[in-house]
Amino acid sequence: MKFPPLRGLAAAVLTVTLVLSGPAAPAQAAQARANPDGTNTSLLEMLDFALDLLGQVGDGDISPEDLAAMTQNVINALNQAESGVIAHLDAIAVANIRDDATAAVIEFEDINNFAEETLEDWAQEVSGDAVRAAAYLDAVSAGKAVDDVGYAVVTLFPIALVARARAGFGTTNLRNQYRAALQKIADKLAPSCHYYYPEPNAVPLIRAYTCTVYGNHTATQLEQYWLGEWQLGPIDPAAVQAASYANTSRRVAVESLRLLP
């Protein structure tokens, strides 16, 4: 079984050129120009390594040593993202989801040392943690709350998939639930976008396009056509949209949906 590669794509970033006026411009520009943070890149690498492992286990031709090494790749990627993930988990209001997700992230580092019976029990436990986190997406609506739970989801499901594969359990049903949860994250954190004229009476006229997910997760691009040439722009709506959610769990969800088999 082969899965399409994610490494390389994980680091790709859509950038937006900004020229803003007024006192709020520097903060908005810095936010929108920022590359996706290391947490998102590492979580995408984590999923990539997890899919590699599932593919090898599915093919049935992998040595215990190679399986342990591939698992360690997943662990290493999660370790790179752990501090950012834990910060989001700490903000989740429901204690059992917050605590279970945090424990799963911490305990995953030792999965290569689990005895067979311990691994089987833990695989079932962390699968339940992932499913409960996904279900909690239906209970939250505020942008930050959705984002925090979204980070729990995009972290827990790859852990659970690896644990189940290592324990010899099926992964198809959990993978389908993961795909449905990713779509919920993408839908709930979809940016709100609009065109407007920052200075309607200015000559030449400048048009802006702004996308906002929540809080400071926003991006703006300007366009100005003057004397037959583009002085600014033209606006690229897709790039502005991507920049607005680059530092949220929506980016992980969207890119994972494209490649999750």
Side-chain angles (χ1 to χ4, degrees):
M1 186 185 304
K2 292 293 184 182
F3 297 110
L6 181 57
R7 285 184 294 276
L9 177 61
V13 180
L14 285 171
T15 59
V16 180
T17 301
L18 300 172
V19 180
L20 299 176
S21 59
Q28 288 181 307
Q31 170 63 28
R33 281 200 299 263
N35 288 341
D37 58 30
T39 297
N40 284 357
T41 299
S42 294
L43 287 175
L44 287 164
E45 290 176 346
M46 176 190 175
L47 175 61
D48 188 19
F49 287 127
L51 294 178
D52 285 348
L53 185 150
L54 265 63
Q56 291 295 320
V57 171
D59 288 341
D61 185 22
I62 182 172
S63 69
E65 294 77 15
D66 287 344
L67 184 58
M70 295 186 76
T71 303
Q72 190 61 48
N73 286 337
V74 183
I75 293 169
N76 292 343
L78 177 57
N79 285 344
Q80 293 297 316
E82 184 172 331
S83 61
V85 169
I86 294 295
H88 283 282
L89 298 183
D90 284 345
I92 294 175
V94 176
N96 66 321
I97 293 175
R98 180 182 65 242
D99 296 345
D100 290 347
T102 302
V105 169
I106 294 171
E107 292 169 1
F108 184 58
E109 185 170 6
D110 294 319
I111 189 173
N112 276 329
N113 301 319
F114 286 176
E116 182 176 350
E117 184 176 343
T118 301
L119 176 60
E120 291 174 354
D121 291 343
W122 192 73
Q124 293 176 320
E125 180 181 332
V126 76
S127 295
D129 295 340
V131 171
R132 281 189 292 275
Y136 189 47
L137 284 171
D138 293 326
V140 291
S141 56
K144 186 180 186 308
V146 174
D147 198 21
D148 291 333
V149 178
Y151 274 106
V153 168
V154 299
T155 304
L156 281 171
F157 272 88
I159 291 175
L161 289 168
V162 169
R164 293 184 69 82
R166 289 289 304 266
F169 298 154
T171 60
T172 300
N173 184 37
L174 190 67
R175 194 180 304 158
N176 290 338
Q177 293 192 53
Y178 186 29
R179 187 178 293 104
L182 291 171
Q183 189 61 59
K184 286 183 183 179
I185 296 169
D187 292 344
K188 283 177 169 281
L189 292 178
S192 175
C193 304
H194 66 286
Y195 287 95
Y196 61 99
Y197 297 94
E199 299 180 19
N201 298 319
V203 178
L205 190 61
I206 294 175
R207 186 169 73 157
Y209 184 71
T210 291
C211 292
T212 300
V213 180
Y214 72 91
N216 66 349
H217 294 285
T218 186
T220 295
Q221 189 177 30
L222 307 181
E223 67 180 5
Q224 177 193 72
Y225 192 72
W226 179 246
L227 298 178
E229 295 183 0
W230 284 103
Q231 305 299 322
L232 298 173
I235 288 170
D236 182 346
V240 182
Q241 293 166 24
S244 70
Y245 63 77
N247 292 312
T248 72
S249 59
R250 187 178 198 269
R251 177 183 174 243
V252 183
V254 168
E255 295 194 17
S256 298
L257 278 169
R258 291 174 183 154
L259 297 171
L260 190 69

Short mmCIF file of all heavy atoms in Angstrom, two decimals, residues 31 37 88 91 141-151 185 188-192 211-219 243-250:
data_model
loop_
_atom_site.label_atom_id
_atom_site.label_comp_id
_atom_site.label_asym_id
_atom_site.label_seq_id
_atom_site.Cartn_x
_atom_site.Cartn_y
_atom_site.Cartn_z
N GLN A 31 1.31 39.69 10.92
CA GLN A 31 0.55 38.47 11.10
C GLN A 31 0.34 37.75 9.77
O GLN A 31 0.52 36.55 9.66
CB GLN A 31 -0.82 38.78 11.72
CG GLN A 31 -1.79 37.59 11.73
CD GLN A 31 -1.27 36.44 12.55
OE1 GLN A 31 -0.53 36.64 13.49
NE2 GLN A 31 -1.65 35.23 12.20
N ASP A 37 3.69 28.26 11.49
CA ASP A 37 4.66 28.02 12.54
C ASP A 37 5.18 26.58 12.52
O ASP A 37 4.68 25.72 11.82
CB ASP A 37 4.08 28.37 13.91
CG ASP A 37 2.81 27.59 14.21
OD1 ASP A 37 2.68 26.46 13.73
OD2 ASP A 37 1.97 28.11 14.95
N HIS A 88 -2.25 24.62 23.12
CA HIS A 88 -3.66 24.57 22.68
C HIS A 88 -4.47 23.61 23.54
O HIS A 88 -5.62 23.91 23.88
CB HIS A 88 -3.72 24.15 21.21
CG HIS A 88 -3.37 25.24 20.25
ND1 HIS A 88 -4.25 26.26 19.92
CD2 HIS A 88 -2.23 25.48 19.56
CE1 HIS A 88 -3.67 27.07 19.05
NE2 HIS A 88 -2.45 26.63 18.82
N ALA A 91 -5.84 24.95 26.76
CA ALA A 91 -6.94 25.90 26.66
C ALA A 91 -8.30 25.23 26.48
O ALA A 91 -9.33 25.90 26.52
CB ALA A 91 -6.70 26.87 25.50
N SER A 141 -18.13 26.45 19.08
CA SER A 141 -18.40 27.29 17.90
C SER A 141 -17.47 28.49 17.81
O SER A 141 -17.19 28.97 16.71
CB SER A 141 -19.86 27.78 17.92
OG SER A 141 -20.15 28.48 19.12
N ALA A 142 -16.98 28.99 18.95
CA ALA A 142 -16.06 30.13 18.91
C ALA A 142 -14.76 29.73 18.23
O ALA A 142 -14.26 28.61 18.41
CB ALA A 142 -15.79 30.63 20.33
N GLY A 143 -14.21 30.65 17.44
CA GLY A 143 -13.04 30.33 16.63
C GLY A 143 -11.88 29.76 17.41
O GLY A 143 -11.31 28.73 17.03
N LYS A 144 -11.50 30.38 18.52
CA LYS A 144 -10.35 29.88 19.27
C LYS A 144 -10.62 28.52 19.87
O LYS A 144 -9.74 27.64 19.88
CB LYS A 144 -9.95 30.86 20.38
CG LYS A 144 -8.65 30.44 21.07
CD LYS A 144 -8.23 31.38 22.16
CE LYS A 144 -6.87 30.99 22.73
NZ LYS A 144 -6.78 29.58 23.14
N ALA A 145 -11.82 28.30 20.36
CA ALA A 145 -12.16 27.00 20.94
C ALA A 145 -12.10 25.91 19.88
O ALA A 145 -11.58 24.81 20.13
CB ALA A 145 -13.55 27.05 21.58
N VAL A 146 -12.62 26.19 18.70
CA VAL A 146 -12.55 25.22 17.60
C VAL A 146 -11.10 24.94 17.25
O VAL A 146 -10.71 23.78 17.02
CB VAL A 146 -13.31 25.74 16.37
CG1 VAL A 146 -13.11 24.79 15.18
CG2 VAL A 146 -14.80 25.89 16.67
N ASP A 147 -10.29 25.98 17.21
CA ASP A 147 -8.88 25.82 16.86
C ASP A 147 -8.15 24.96 17.88
O ASP A 147 -7.37 24.07 17.54
CB ASP A 147 -8.23 27.19 16.74
CG ASP A 147 -6.91 27.17 15.97
OD1 ASP A 147 -6.69 26.21 15.19
OD2 ASP A 147 -6.12 28.12 16.13
N ASP A 148 -8.41 25.21 19.16
CA ASP A 148 -7.75 24.43 20.21
C ASP A 148 -8.13 22.96 20.11
O ASP A 148 -7.27 22.07 20.18
CB ASP A 148 -8.13 24.98 21.59
CG ASP A 148 -7.55 26.36 21.86
OD1 ASP A 148 -6.48 26.67 21.29
OD2 ASP A 148 -8.15 27.12 22.64
N VAL A 149 -9.41 22.68 19.94
CA VAL A 149 -9.86 21.29 19.80
C VAL A 149 -9.33 20.72 18.49
O VAL A 149 -8.97 19.53 18.41
CB VAL A 149 -11.39 21.20 19.85
CG1 VAL A 149 -11.85 19.75 19.66
CG2 VAL A 149 -11.92 21.73 21.18
N GLY A 150 -9.26 21.56 17.46
CA GLY A 150 -8.71 21.10 16.19
C GLY A 150 -7.30 20.59 16.32
O GLY A 150 -6.93 19.56 15.73
N TYR A 151 -6.49 21.27 17.14
CA TYR A 151 -5.12 20.79 17.36
C TYR A 151 -5.11 19.45 18.10
O TYR A 151 -4.25 18.60 17.85
CB TYR A 151 -4.30 21.83 18.11
CG TYR A 151 -3.67 22.85 17.19
CD1 TYR A 151 -4.16 24.15 17.11
CD2 TYR A 151 -2.60 22.50 16.37
CE1 TYR A 151 -3.60 25.08 16.25
CE2 TYR A 151 -2.04 23.42 15.50
CZ TYR A 151 -2.54 24.71 15.44
OH TYR A 151 -1.98 25.62 14.57
N ILE A 185 -13.17 20.65 10.98
CA ILE A 185 -12.23 21.73 11.32
C ILE A 185 -12.14 22.73 10.17
O ILE A 185 -12.18 23.94 10.38
CB ILE A 185 -10.84 21.14 11.62
CG1 ILE A 185 -10.88 20.25 12.86
CG2 ILE A 185 -9.81 22.25 11.81
CD1 ILE A 185 -9.63 19.42 13.07
N LYS A 188 -15.47 24.76 10.07
CA LYS A 188 -15.70 25.66 11.20
C LYS A 188 -14.69 26.81 11.25
O LYS A 188 -14.99 27.87 11.82
CB LYS A 188 -15.67 24.88 12.52
CG LYS A 188 -16.93 24.07 12.80
CD LYS A 188 -16.80 23.28 14.08
CE LYS A 188 -18.13 22.70 14.52
NZ LYS A 188 -19.01 23.69 15.18
N LEU A 189 -13.50 26.61 10.68
CA LEU A 189 -12.48 27.65 10.70
C LEU A 189 -12.30 28.28 9.31
O LEU A 189 -11.26 28.89 9.04
CB LEU A 189 -11.14 27.09 11.19
CG LEU A 189 -11.10 26.68 12.66
CD1 LEU A 189 -9.73 26.09 13.01
CD2 LEU A 189 -11.42 27.86 13.58
N ALA A 190 -13.30 28.15 8.47
CA ALA A 190 -13.23 28.79 7.15
C ALA A 190 -13.17 30.31 7.32
O ALA A 190 -13.94 30.88 8.09
CB ALA A 190 -14.43 28.40 6.31
N PRO A 191 -12.27 30.98 6.62
CA PRO A 191 -12.16 32.44 6.79
C PRO A 191 -13.35 33.18 6.20
O PRO A 191 -13.97 32.72 5.23
CB PRO A 191 -10.87 32.77 6.02
CG PRO A 191 -10.72 31.67 5.02
CD PRO A 191 -11.28 30.44 5.67
N SER A 192 -13.65 34.30 6.80
CA SER A 192 -14.65 35.22 6.27
C SER A 192 -13.92 36.32 5.51
O SER A 192 -13.03 36.98 6.07
CB SER A 192 -15.47 35.82 7.42
OG SER A 192 -16.37 36.81 6.94
N CYS A 211 -9.28 38.68 4.76
CA CYS A 211 -9.84 37.42 5.24
C CYS A 211 -9.50 37.28 6.72
O CYS A 211 -8.36 37.51 7.12
CB CYS A 211 -9.27 36.23 4.47
SG CYS A 211 -9.79 36.16 2.73
N THR A 212 -10.49 36.88 7.51
CA THR A 212 -10.30 36.70 8.94
C THR A 212 -10.88 35.37 9.37
O THR A 212 -12.01 35.02 9.01
CB THR A 212 -10.98 37.83 9.73
OG1 THR A 212 -10.42 39.09 9.34
CG2 THR A 212 -10.80 37.65 11.23
N VAL A 213 -10.10 34.61 10.15
CA VAL A 213 -10.59 33.37 10.74
C VAL A 213 -11.14 33.67 12.13
O VAL A 213 -12.31 33.46 12.41
CB VAL A 213 -9.47 32.31 10.80
CG1 VAL A 213 -9.99 31.01 11.41
CG2 VAL A 213 -8.90 32.05 9.41
N TYR A 214 -10.29 34.19 13.00
CA TYR A 214 -10.70 34.70 14.31
C TYR A 214 -9.52 35.48 14.87
O TYR A 214 -8.36 35.26 14.48
CB TYR A 214 -11.13 33.59 15.28
CG TYR A 214 -9.99 32.75 15.81
CD1 TYR A 214 -9.33 33.07 17.00
CD2 TYR A 214 -9.56 31.61 15.14
CE1 TYR A 214 -8.28 32.31 17.49
CE2 TYR A 214 -8.52 30.83 15.61
CZ TYR A 214 -7.88 31.19 16.79
OH TYR A 214 -6.84 30.43 17.26
N GLY A 215 -9.81 36.40 15.77
CA GLY A 215 -8.75 37.15 16.43
C GLY A 215 -7.78 37.77 15.44
O GLY A 215 -8.19 38.43 14.48
N ASN A 216 -6.48 37.56 15.68
CA ASN A 216 -5.48 38.16 14.80
C ASN A 216 -5.09 37.23 13.65
O ASN A 216 -4.12 37.50 12.95
CB ASN A 216 -4.23 38.56 15.61
CG ASN A 216 -3.50 37.35 16.18
OD1 ASN A 216 -4.00 36.24 16.16
ND2 ASN A 216 -2.31 37.60 16.72
N HIS A 217 -5.85 36.18 13.44
CA HIS A 217 -5.61 35.32 12.28
C HIS A 217 -6.32 35.94 11.08
O HIS A 217 -7.44 35.58 10.72
CB HIS A 217 -6.12 33.90 12.56
CG HIS A 217 -5.35 33.21 13.64
ND1 HIS A 217 -4.08 32.71 13.45
CD2 HIS A 217 -5.66 32.97 14.94
CE1 HIS A 217 -3.64 32.17 14.57
NE2 HIS A 217 -4.58 32.32 15.50
N THR A 218 -5.63 36.91 10.50
CA THR A 218 -6.21 37.71 9.42
C THR A 218 -5.14 38.07 8.41
O THR A 218 -3.94 38.08 8.73
CB THR A 218 -6.86 38.98 10.00
OG1 THR A 218 -7.55 39.69 8.97
CG2 THR A 218 -5.83 39.88 10.64
N ALA A 219 -5.55 38.33 7.19
CA ALA A 219 -4.62 38.72 6.14
C ALA A 219 -5.32 39.68 5.18
O ALA A 219 -6.53 39.58 4.96
CB ALA A 219 -4.11 37.51 5.36
N ALA A 243 -3.25 32.61 3.73
CA ALA A 243 -2.44 33.32 4.73
C ALA A 243 -3.22 33.54 6.02
O ALA A 243 -2.65 33.52 7.11
CB ALA A 243 -1.97 34.65 4.16
N SER A 244 -4.54 33.74 5.91
CA SER A 244 -5.33 34.03 7.11
C SER A 244 -5.42 32.83 8.05
O SER A 244 -5.52 33.00 9.26
CB SER A 244 -6.75 34.49 6.71
OG SER A 244 -7.51 33.42 6.17
N TYR A 245 -5.38 31.61 7.51
CA TYR A 245 -5.48 30.45 8.39
C TYR A 245 -4.17 29.67 8.49
O TYR A 245 -4.13 28.57 9.04
CB TYR A 245 -6.62 29.52 7.97
CG TYR A 245 -6.51 28.88 6.60
CD1 TYR A 245 -5.66 27.80 6.38
CD2 TYR A 245 -7.30 29.32 5.54
CE1 TYR A 245 -5.58 27.19 5.14
CE2 TYR A 245 -7.22 28.72 4.30
CZ TYR A 245 -6.37 27.65 4.10
OH TYR A 245 -6.30 27.04 2.86
N ALA A 246 -3.08 30.26 8.01
CA ALA A 246 -1.80 29.55 7.98
C ALA A 246 -1.35 29.08 9.36
O ALA A 246 -0.74 28.03 9.49
CB ALA A 246 -0.72 30.43 7.35
N ASN A 247 -1.63 29.85 10.39
CA ASN A 247 -1.18 29.52 11.74
C ASN A 247 -2.30 28.96 12.61
O ASN A 247 -2.31 29.16 13.83
CB ASN A 247 -0.55 30.75 12.40
CG ASN A 247 0.74 31.13 11.73
OD1 ASN A 247 1.60 30.29 11.49
ND2 ASN A 247 0.88 32.40 11.41
N THR A 248 -3.23 28.25 11.98
CA THR A 248 -4.32 27.60 12.71
C THR A 248 -4.33 26.12 12.36
O THR A 248 -3.68 25.67 11.41
CB THR A 248 -5.69 28.21 12.36
OG1 THR A 248 -6.05 27.81 11.02
CG2 THR A 248 -5.67 29.72 12.45
N SER A 249 -5.13 25.36 13.10
CA SER A 249 -5.27 23.93 12.82
C SER A 249 -5.97 23.69 11.49
O SER A 249 -5.91 22.58 10.94
CB SER A 249 -6.04 23.23 13.94
OG SER A 249 -7.33 23.78 14.11
N ARG A 250 -6.60 24.73 10.93
CA ARG A 250 -7.26 24.56 9.63
C ARG A 250 -6.24 24.23 8.54
O ARG A 250 -6.52 23.45 7.64
CB ARG A 250 -8.05 25.81 9.24
CG ARG A 250 -8.87 25.60 7.96
CD ARG A 250 -9.70 26.83 7.60
NE ARG A 250 -10.76 26.47 6.69
CZ ARG A 250 -10.66 26.50 5.35
NH1 ARG A 250 -9.51 26.90 4.80
NH2 ARG A 250 -11.67 26.16 4.59
#
